[in-house]
Amino acid sequence: MNTILHHGDEARGRYWREVFAREMPGVDFLCHPDGGDWSQVRFLVAWTLTPEVIAALPALEVIFSIGAGVDQLDLSIVPPHVRVVRMIEPGITTTMAQYIVMATLALHRDLPFYVAEQRHGRWSPRDVRLCSERTVGFLGLGELARASIKALGPLGFRLTGWSRSTKAIAGVETYAGQEGLSGFLASTDILVCLLPLTDATRGILCRDLFERLPRGAAIVNAARGGHLVDGDLTAALDEGLLSAAFLDVASTEPLAEGHPFYSNPRIFLTPHISGVTRPETAVHALITNLRCVLANDPVAGEVDRARGY
Ligand code: NAP
């Protein structure tokens, strides 16, 4: 028997069980915390893991993340032979691309400045630049960055990107590795972080990086809060190293009451809503991937556990 356990939002679990009953009737779809024979569970679909759940699944072979990232899964409690697959589905990529276009345009057209001026009752027009005079640089050139680049393309920004391995993307100037980072940053006016959170990328949005951007650059972090050193951002904004930031993620979520980000007029905050897994589309991505696993075919979004993404 092919048994899968859903661990997470109960309404989504019930909905996915109905879809599986129609589209993969050969799969026994269990929903945590309902009963069922967990000893036979080969597949787990989850946003986070607990030691109790992992210990109760001796036959586990594959974990399917409900999100595009996997850093929220504590893989230290998962036996090394268990495969991990992240979620690649149109709901996440479409909503992320929308968010990046919104944040980029808002920064390009000085929205944080004008909102602050309005609060003070001031009418202060600034010079307007063309998109072609502004460089939007992506930290990470994966699924979400590419979808965002595609959405930004028609607006005419200069587009650049940085990744671990060398990439060729039409219309994008690409840089790779530590040796490419300074050159990439030096020309970036709006920096968009869409990196996975790994040991190599934790804290990358720090003073040292901000100093390598043109003075007055802006940042967008739609990846993970752990990429950003909070105090370094506040200081960089105070000193004018950076002009503004759009943050969709925080080091602890929800961001603690009274955190200085809430009241900083140069920071626009959203509560981790940039790229959203949509149950209606994600269930089909899950079914496609499960079919691939069962057929021994390559799956989309297989994570290299040693690399961390
Ligand atoms: P992905 O397809 O795995 O792409 C990751 C990109 O980052 C790749 O281009 C990779 O380089 C690059 N990279 C990884 N480590 C690097 C390093 N040390 N140095 C330079 N580049 C590095 O990931 P994705 O689907 O685009 O998602 C990115 C992240 O977005 C997720 O991991 C998740 O944390 C976050 N996310 C946030 C939300 C939200 O709502 N805020 C929603 C979904 C996802 P290579 O191409 O060379 O491997």
Side-chain angles (χ1 to χ4, degrees):
M1 188 59 167
N2 296 314
T3 306
I4 187 166
L5 174 68
H6 176 277
H7 180 246
D9 180 77
E10 291 181 31
R12 181 184 55 222
R14 283 193 297 276
Y15 168 60
W16 283 8
R17 184 165 56 195
E18 285 168 26
V19 178
F20 265 76
R22 282 196 306 273
E23 299 198 11
M24 278 191 98
V27 171
D28 191 14
F29 194 101
L30 305 180
C31 290
H32 179 273
D34 296 350
D37 183 3
W38 287 19
S39 68
Q40 301 305 310
V41 169
R42 295 174 60 196
F43 310 111
L44 173 66
V45 54
W47 169 245
T48 54
L49 305 173
T50 64
E52 297 71 32
V53 168
I54 294 300
L57 306 177
L60 185 61
E61 293 173 30
V62 185
I63 296 173
F64 294 97
S65 171
I66 285 168
V70 294
D71 58 282
Q72 74 286 351
L73 299 168
D74 179 4
L75 295 180
S76 69
I77 59 173
V78 177
H81 68 271
V82 174
R83 295 164 64 188
V84 178
V85 178
R86 65 200 191 82
M87 181 64 77
I88 300 177
E89 65 95 16
I92 301 177
T93 46
T94 306
T95 51
M96 180 59 82
Q98 280 173 6
Y99 183 94
I100 299 301
V101 170
M102 174 197 68
T104 304
L105 277 177
L107 292 167
H108 171 61
R109 294 306 307 266
D110 290 328
L111 193 64
F113 170 77
Y114 289 121
V115 169
E117 290 299 280
Q118 180 183 344
R119 299 272 178 273
H120 288 100
R122 292 196 289 251
W123 184 270
S124 320
R126 277 181 163 180
D127 287 346
V128 174
R129 281 163 72 175
L130 297 176
C131 291
S132 57
E133 296 168 323
R134 191 90 72 178
T135 301
V136 182
F138 284 81
L139 285 170
L141 283 170
E143 296 288 332
L144 300 179
R146 284 167 185 254
S148 306
I149 284 169
K150 197 169 163 198
L152 281 174
L155 295 172
F157 288 108
R158 289 187 54 234
L159 297 167
T160 62
W162 178 73
S163 53
R164 203 174 54 91
S165 56
T166 307
K167 297 269 177 301
I169 304 172
V172 182
E173 196 176 320
T174 56
Y175 300 78
Q178 281 308 317
E179 60 284 6
L181 185 56
S182 286
F184 162 74
L185 294 171
S187 67
T188 298
D189 300 310
I190 298 174
L191 180 72
V192 179
C193 180
L194 281 173
L195 288 166
L197 185 62
T198 66
D199 290 344
T201 65
R202 187 177 303 280
I204 189 169
L205 299 174
C206 64
R207 184 172 189 96
D208 170 60
L209 179 142
F210 300 150
E211 284 176 345
R212 289 191 267 169
L213 291 164
R215 190 171 175 81
I219 68 164
V220 180
N221 186 16
R224 290 287 187 261
H227 288 121
L228 176 67
V229 180
D230 291 4
D232 285 6
L233 174 63
T234 310
L237 290 166
D238 287 348
E239 294 166 29
L241 271 183
L242 297 179
S243 56
F246 261 75
L247 306 178
D248 181 53
V249 284
S251 43
T252 49
E253 294 183 2
L255 188 65
E257 204 183 323
H259 191 287
F261 286 178
Y262 280 118
S263 53
N264 191 320
R266 297 174 195 274
I267 294 177
F268 270 45
L269 269 183
T270 48
H272 203 139
I273 48 73
S274 55
V276 182
T277 302
R278 290 191 45 86
E280 302 80 4
T281 42
V283 69
H284 298 291
L286 174 63
I287 286 172
T288 302
N289 261 348
L290 186 55
R291 288 196 172 119
C292 290
V293 168
L294 295 173
N296 274 327
D297 287 336
V299 298
E302 177 108 30
V303 170
D304 176 338
R305 287 188 58 179
R307 207 174 58 168
Y309 73 98

